[in-house]
Amino acid sequence: MTGQHDQADAVTAVSRRTLLQAGAAVGAGLAGGIGIADAAPGTAPMPMPQLSPSVPPVVTLPVSLTVNGQRQALVVDARTTLLDLLREHLHLTGSKKGCDHGQCGACTVLADGQRINACLSLAVMHEGGEVTTIEGLAPDAAAGGPLHPMQAAFLEHDGYQCGYCTPGQICSAIGMLREQAQGQPSWVTADVAEPHPALTDAELRERMSGNICRCSAYPNIVAAIRDVHDQGKIPA
Ligand code: FES
Ligand code: FES
């Protein structure tokens, strides 16, 4: 048994030594800027690739869209998200950037009447479209005009604490009530063939589950949305 072990150890040692020698030869060749093909006598040196950092050119595109009733025409980096267009180019900072990854809902706006996460949507995708942000829900409020019914309900039911998620919650709630009124089912709808599934609390919470509130104002948010729903204040 000992002899077999000695023999196996010798084979392993030779294999390891051969591997190390081969690795050292390749490493020395690479360090010296000589191609691996140099190992073969009479072979022309293989030129090493020149590695130089390359920065792709910035591609800009024109985009025109209507935001809160006003026509806007801009030229933006093609990679600009709708959220960055709103916040950085139009200075509409009501829509919040919470995660920038579609996970929190703080950036929710209404695009052609439907709720979307503005951080997941490229601005140029909204060419010719209509976008409504929290600033556009009650355009006369600053001059003493009425709030949007959903804004008024959030105030009445104390549906916020720090307020960071609130613009997204309100825009999302409006879009959600439209979806529900149009008969769109949710993950918890028992009968998806039912044309008008009732807005139970489970339905409401599921449909709003894309909007995170780190202050956990959920009970009051649910109460505010239910109030608006029960009074039929959101047209489909
Ligand atoms: S910032 Fe868009 S989902 Fe969080
Ligand atoms: S009110 Fe603070 S995160 Fe919702």
Side-chain angles (χ1 to χ4, degrees):
M1 290 295 287
T2 306
Q4 284 179 348
H5 279 151
D6 290 347
Q7 202 171 4
D9 287 347
V11 170
T12 304
V14 168
S15 301
R16 194 184 307 125
R17 191 181 317 123
T18 307
L19 180 66
L20 290 173
Q21 285 170 343
V26 171
L30 289 176
I34 302 169
I36 295 172
D38 272 349
T43 308
M46 181 185 293
M48 291 295 288
Q50 297 298 310
L51 301 178
S52 61
S54 63
V55 179
V58 172
V59 176
T60 58
L61 289 174
V63 58
S64 61
L65 68 171
T66 302
V67 179
N68 298 336
Q70 291 194 336
R71 197 74 181 159
Q72 304 283 354
L74 308 97
V75 176
V76 296
D77 183 324
R79 300 165 294 181
T80 304
T81 63
L82 177 61
L83 180 60
D84 283 341
L85 178 137
L86 294 170
R87 291 180 55 86
E88 308 299 333
H89 293 260
L90 301 180
H91 308 296
L92 294 170
T93 53
S95 307
K96 298 294 185 269
K97 184 179 282 189
C99 65
D100 214 16
H101 283 87
Q103 294 175 345
C104 72
C107 63
T108 306
V109 298
L110 297 164
D112 298 319
Q114 299 201 325
R115 56 178 175 165
I116 63 165
N117 288 336
C119 72
L120 291 184
S121 190
L122 292 175
V124 293
M125 293 166 61
H126 297 277
E127 171 67 30
E130 293 208 15
V131 174
T132 303
T133 69
I134 190 75
E135 291 95 338
L137 291 179
D140 300 328
L147 290 173
H148 185 282
M150 193 64 77
Q151 291 173 311
F154 268 65
L155 269 178
E156 185 181 336
H157 291 275
D158 230 3
Y160 51 85
Q161 289 184 36
C162 77
Y164 196 82
C165 73
T166 311
Q169 298 277 5
I170 288 175
C171 288
S172 185
I174 294 168
M176 182 276 286
L177 289 186
R178 287 177 182 159
E179 293 163 10
Q180 191 263 343
Q182 290 163 5
Q184 293 184 26
S186 82
W187 183 254
V188 297
T189 302
D191 181 2
V192 294
E194 164 62 47
H196 297 292
L199 189 68
T200 62
D201 271 7
E203 282 274 3
L204 198 160
R205 288 175 180 274
E206 164 59 25
R207 290 171 185 265
M208 289 296 296
S209 61
N211 290 80
I212 307 299
C213 176
R214 288 172 176 79
C215 300
S216 290
Y218 296 116
N220 297 12
I221 291 171
V222 169
I225 298 172
R226 173 156 303 292
D227 193 0
V228 174
H229 170 264
D230 291 352
Q231 295 190 45
K233 291 177 178 173
I234 301 290

